Amino acid sequence: MKKGILGIITFFLFLNFLLGVNFKGRIVCKSGKPLNVGYVLIKKEGANKFIKSNLSKNGSFEFKNIEEGLYTFKVDIFSVEKLKNKIEIKGKEIRKDFIVSLSLLDRILIKVRGLSDFMWGTWMIILLLGTGIILTFVTGFVQIRRLISALKLVLKGAFKKDLTKKEEGDISPYAALMTALAATVGNGNIAGVATAIATGGPGAPFWMWMAGFFGMATKYAEGFLGVKYRKKNKFGEMAGGPMYYARYGIKWKPAAKFLGLLFAISGGITAIFGTGNMAQSNSMALAFKTQFNIPFWASGLVIAILTGIVTIGGIKKIGSVSEKLVPSMILFYFAGALVIIIANFTKIPAAFVLIFKSAFSVKAVGGALIGTSVKQAISIGVRRGVLSNEAGLGSAAIAQAASKSPEPVYNGLIAMTGTFIDTIVVNTLTTLTIILSGAYLFTAAYGSSEGLTSTALTMKAFSSVIPHGGIIIALSSFLFGYSTLLGWSYYGEKSVEYVFGEKVVYPYRIIFIIALFIGAIVQGAHLNIIWYLGDSANAMMAFPNLVALLFLIGIVKKETVKKLYEKKLW
């Protein structure tokens, strides 16, 4: 009996020896307050990948059953590395506390990330997807039943064969779509999709697709209402968008005025300080610095000059440039991505299996820990999807409001195709290149010491097949970012015009150009402050727009059923 007990004890001691060391600790700020955001990374000397442990609410972390030896230890706060040093882990259970020093920018980053996480919490996901689902049923699944008709209208516009030349408006519906696509097909399609995969795992694109599918119905309603409630300003130009259909469409006036004003203020912030401006110029400058070693200030100056030449001319100039630039840049990127996809053609079924399984699991296929929950993957996928296709933001309604229109439902159909092209086509291209090439394995989510994200991750995917493939991404980043700057300069202009009147239009255009130059020269991990601020501003735009859509859902239903299904105009 005693020998049996002794044998069991010996067995467990031997098992404990095999299992290794438990390394625990706590991260505390200099003020004594625990750091409870970010995570701890350790990598054994000679290993290729880091092991990750998220920080708990009291700043604690734990690594179980690791080998003894010399490790690289660092704390990561939303891509800002702290305390990177060498430590020796030896013994059976090690406990160490570490003190980090946070700069002002570190603290701002933490606060802005917290705001972004709140704004894109469960409540916003429900509101965004819920509105899209309701509009899908109310419009009779317009994104399925009228998608072919809508694409035909777009092609007619591209070949100047639409029937809107005699209608009232500043630009053609096709030019309005290209202006909207100029704003949506931006670095969110290159950097945003890559960032979503790097932080949310391979399953994040699935939630982008879900948001995009229901977002098509949302975008239809936005385009429809943008034209229905537009007004003419003192310059004789059309002005419309969520601020107008909230203000003039909702009968409860206190809510109408509040929602209209809130959208316009949020739109102005996003256009100048958020993802519609500084984040775009930054990605463009970073891509050219990485690929061609061009100084940030030089890229910023060129971007500012090129943007100013077009935006000073207003919507007619923006529309004219966009309808030539946007199709060309999409085809250029499409051709490059297609090379990657064809080269990895046999892996396509496995890629979709990985995406779908990862969308509903905290582990990727093969058991690789991606360090994110399904809830986080949904949130990241939806918010990056909205950042990319803007369905729910209401921005496309501003562009469609400026266009010539035979019927509001006509513009709704045109607007709807924007989400299809952006999310179902362009985002899918980026997703497949990253998954098929295996570039996603070099992200921090998979413990890679390279920790690739943003445009660097997409460059890795393209370079895996195409020699100097990073050049394609650098040029695409420039074209996509430039087009986005053109579209968002107009959105911001109409937002501030709604609040302050026409007199602020030209001063606004100057401020917009200055801000994009600043965005190009400010680099480093702390630039995530701008991305998270942009995320928050997007949510602040989406909230009043989605509420306004719900208020006006009866009008959307009535007109859609009458014009599309009873009269069958298109």
Side-chain angles (χ1 to χ4, degrees), residues 326-344 425-426 428-430 433 461-462 465-466 469 471-473 476 479-480:
V326 172
S328 301
M329 72 183 195
I330 291 176
L331 287 173
F332 174 70
Y333 185 69
F334 183 89
L338 203 59
V339 173
I340 316 299
I341 294 169
I342 292 173
N344 295 279
V425 178
V426 183
T428 301
L429 290 175
T430 303
T433 59
F462 271 65
V465 174
I466 304 172
I471 295 175
I472 295 175
I473 299 303
S476 295
L479 294 172
F480 282 26

Side-chain angles (χ1 to χ4, degrees), residues 418-484:
T419 300
F420 175 81
I421 294 169
D422 179 274
T423 302
I424 309 302
V425 178
V426 183
N427 276 8
T428 301
L429 290 175
T430 303
T431 297
L432 287 177
T433 59
I434 292 172
I435 302 298
L436 290 172
S437 66
Y440 69 95
L441 296 171
F442 295 89
T443 63
Y446 274 78
S448 172
S449 57
E450 291 189 46
L452 295 180
T453 187
S454 191
T455 50
L457 180 58
T458 315
M459 282 182 175
K460 177 83 172 178
F462 271 65
S463 298
S464 68
V465 174
I466 304 172
H468 307 292
I471 295 175
I472 295 175
I473 299 303
L475 293 174
S476 295
S477 176
F478 177 80
L479 294 172
F480 282 26
Y482 179 59
S483 71
T484 298

Side-chain angles (χ1 to χ4, degrees), residues 531-548:
W531 283 97
Y532 291 132
L533 184 63
D535 276 349
S536 300
N538 282 348
M540 287 189 285
M541 287 176 67
F543 174 72
N545 175 57
L546 293 169
V547 173

Side-chain angles (χ1 to χ4, degrees), residues 221-235:
E222 291 169 352
F224 166 81
L225 293 170
V227 171
K228 187 171 181 63
Y229 291 102
R230 64 185 178 179
K231 302 290 181 183
K232 188 178 290 187
N233 65 19
K234 70 177 185 180
F235 298 129

Side-chain angles (χ1 to χ4, degrees), residues 23 81 84 91 96 105 169 192 298 308 354 436 483 491 553:
F23 175 37
E81 291 185 1
K84 186 173 182 180
K96 286 189 177 184
L105 287 176
L354 174 64
L436 290 172
S483 71
Y491 294 162
I553 210 161

Side-chain angles (χ1 to χ4, degrees), residues 226-369:
V227 171
K228 187 171 181 63
Y229 291 102
R230 64 185 178 179
K231 302 290 181 183
K232 188 178 290 187
N233 65 19
K234 70 177 185 180
F235 298 129
E237 299 172 338
M238 291 295 182
M243 54 282 208
Y244 287 90
Y245 57 71
R247 176 70 179 83
Y248 299 105
I250 298 172
K251 294 181 179 180
W252 185 26
K253 293 308 173 186
K257 291 180 180 179
F258 170 74
L259 292 172
L261 186 62
L262 179 59
F263 178 89
I265 292 171
S266 301
I269 292 171
T270 302
I272 295 177
F273 301 110
T275 51
N277 187 329
M278 298 176 76
Q280 298 298 325
S281 60
N282 177 268
S283 293
M284 296 159 73
L286 180 60
F288 271 79
K289 175 68 175 177
T290 303
Q291 198 63 41
F292 307 114
N293 201 31
I294 296 174
F296 294 127
W297 68 266
S299 296
L301 187 62
V302 171
I303 296 165
I305 292 171
L306 291 176
T307 304
I309 290 172
V310 178
T311 57
I312 294 298
I315 184 59
K316 291 184 179 180
K317 185 71 173 177
I318 292 171
S320 176
V321 171
S322 296
E323 64 181 342
K324 297 179 182 67
L325 173 63
V326 172
S328 301
M329 72 183 195
I330 291 176
L331 287 173
F332 174 70
Y333 185 69
F334 183 89
L338 203 59
V339 173
I340 316 299
I341 294 169
I342 292 173
N344 295 279
F345 185 77
T346 57
K347 300 177 184 176
I348 290 177
F352 279 104
V353 169
L354 174 64
I355 292 168
F356 293 138
K357 284 192 174 182
S358 300
F360 299 96
S361 173
V362 296
K363 289 187 177 182
V365 175
L369 219 30

